[in-house]
Amino acid sequence: MLELFKVLMISMLTSNVVFSLPYGVCSYLGVSKSKKSSIGMGFALTFVTILASVICYLINMLLEVLSIEYMATICFILVVASVVQFVEMFIKKFSPSLYKSLGIYLPLITTNCVVLYVCKQVVDMDTLLGGLGLSNTIGGEFGNFLFMLIYALGTALGYFLALYIFSVLRERLEIAPVPKGFAGVAVGLLCTAIMAMIFMNGLTGIF
Amino acid sequence: MEILAAIGIALALLTIFVVSYLLNKKIPKPEGCDEDIECLECKNSFCRFNKKNDEDAVNQNKEEK
């Protein structure tokens, strides 16, 4: 149980996908103009990442049986694109109010590399957990599946957290007396660098 | 045999994507969700709202309105 918590915290904080790699920076800079849009994008990405990870994990098992693991990337891209289409269709049909708030951000997720990164990582859980300095304490395929779910959730929440904090900072920066040369994206990237130092150095060792 | 399996899986997933895309396109948008969104959030060339990413075009539209 402790190992699962560690995976969640490490993937969310110290190995935050935006600050440590960095992936998903395009939408991180683009959708962080307001808190509302960052929350919408965060929820949409979390949902799609978890769903796509589960499907990709199962598809990878099939690819391993057929000894065609080299097809993984192509298959995962198609899975992510299809999941986004199905999710959009479902939301459009059954929850118009949710579509109004998430609809714009759903197509952006198709090209968000965070989703594909998670899908690529979770198919080899032993290597992934070894890289994080952890091991599968539950054991077996069920343990791997559980760790995969937690890792996908943690990574997506990490992106959500980074996006939300940055959107709050950007809203504050709009009214701050920033020197002309630093205004806009420049000061935003400086804030990102400071946040990355806090996340990666300040929190390392806690988990 | 492996190559056939690889092609089969790729084609199956591609078919699922095409079907989901067409089905998604057929379902009408809920009321109040118009396509005419002036999105300046990013420069993602794959985004369906990318045609609106041109700031000059958006500014021109605003002036016209």
Side-chain angles (χ1 to χ4, degrees):
Chain A
M1 205 62 191
L2 186 67
E3 296 282 297
L4 285 173
F5 180 71
K6 276 184 182 175
V7 168
L8 182 70
M9 286 297 126
I10 290 172
S11 57
M12 198 165 79
L13 300 174
T14 50
S15 293
N16 189 296
V17 74
V18 177
F19 300 130
S20 63
L21 290 166
Y23 285 146
V25 177
C26 173
S27 55
Y28 169 79
L29 290 173
V31 195
S32 56
K33 279 184 179 171
S34 70
K35 275 188 274 186
K36 197 185 165 192
S37 61
S38 71
I39 290 170
M41 180 67 174
F43 274 122
L45 187 116
T46 306
F47 185 69
V48 171
T49 304
I50 294 169
L51 199 62
S53 302
V54 172
I55 296 170
C56 288
Y57 185 80
L58 297 174
I59 283 181
N60 190 66
M61 286 168 87
L62 177 69
L63 296 180
E64 278 177 358
V65 171
L66 297 168
S67 305
I68 47 171
E69 292 94 336
Y70 56 86
M71 287 293 291
T73 307
I74 295 169
C75 292
F76 294 171
I77 291 169
L78 288 169
V79 166
V80 173
S82 305
V83 166
V84 171
Q85 292 297 329
F86 277 115
V87 168
E88 192 177 345
M89 198 161 55
F90 185 82
I91 293 175
K92 218 191 282 184
K93 189 97 178 166
F94 295 105
S95 180
S97 57
L98 189 65
Y99 183 79
K100 275 181 189 174
S101 55
L102 295 186
I104 308 165
Y105 308 110
L106 282 167
L108 290 175
I109 297 170
T110 313
T111 53
N112 194 319
C113 48
V114 174
V115 187
L116 190 63
Y117 166 74
V118 175
C119 293
K120 287 282 286 173
Q121 288 291 102
V122 296
V123 294
D124 191 4
M125 280 312 293
D126 292 331
T127 312
L128 176 63
L129 290 175
L132 297 175
L134 302 167
S135 61
N136 182 359
T137 47
I138 298 167
E141 250 343 288
F142 177 71
N144 271 345
F145 186 77
L146 210 57
F147 274 103
M148 179 275 291
L149 270 182
I150 298 296
Y151 180 78
L153 176 70
T155 309
L157 287 179
Y159 176 84
F160 192 168
L161 184 70
L163 191 63
Y164 183 72
I165 294 173
F166 191 53
S167 70
V168 173
L169 282 172
R170 279 188 80 173
E171 281 191 355
R172 177 66 184 83
L173 284 169
E174 288 288 316
I175 53 167
V178 182
K180 209 177 175 182
F182 281 109
V185 179
V187 74
L189 288 172
L190 280 173
C191 291
T192 304
I194 295 165
M195 277 162 67
M197 282 192 274
I198 294 167
F199 271 71
M200 290 171 67
N201 296 329
L203 299 173
T204 303
I206 296 174
F207 306 108
Chain B
M1 192 63 190
E2 282 175 13
I3 292 169
L4 283 176
I7 293 168
I9 286 179
L11 280 177
L13 289 171
L14 197 64
T15 309
I16 291 170
F17 171 68
V18 171
V19 169
S20 64
Y21 175 77
L22 292 173
L23 283 173
N24 189 22
K25 217 175 173 184
K26 269 186 183 178
I27 295 174
K29 287 190 188 313
E31 282 179 23
C33 298
D34 51 342
E35 271 284 344
D36 196 25
I37 296 165
E38 292 174 350
C39 182
L40 294 169
E41 299 286 1
C42 69
K43 303 291 179 190
N44 190 340
S45 57
F46 293 98
C47 178
R48 73 166 74 149
F49 306 117
N50 188 48
K51 59 182 183 290
K52 303 286 179 188
N53 277 350
D54 185 357
E55 277 187 52
D56 295 332
V58 172
N59 290 334
Q60 204 178 342
N61 281 344
K62 278 180 183 169
E63 281 171 15
E64 282 172 11
K65 281 174 188 173

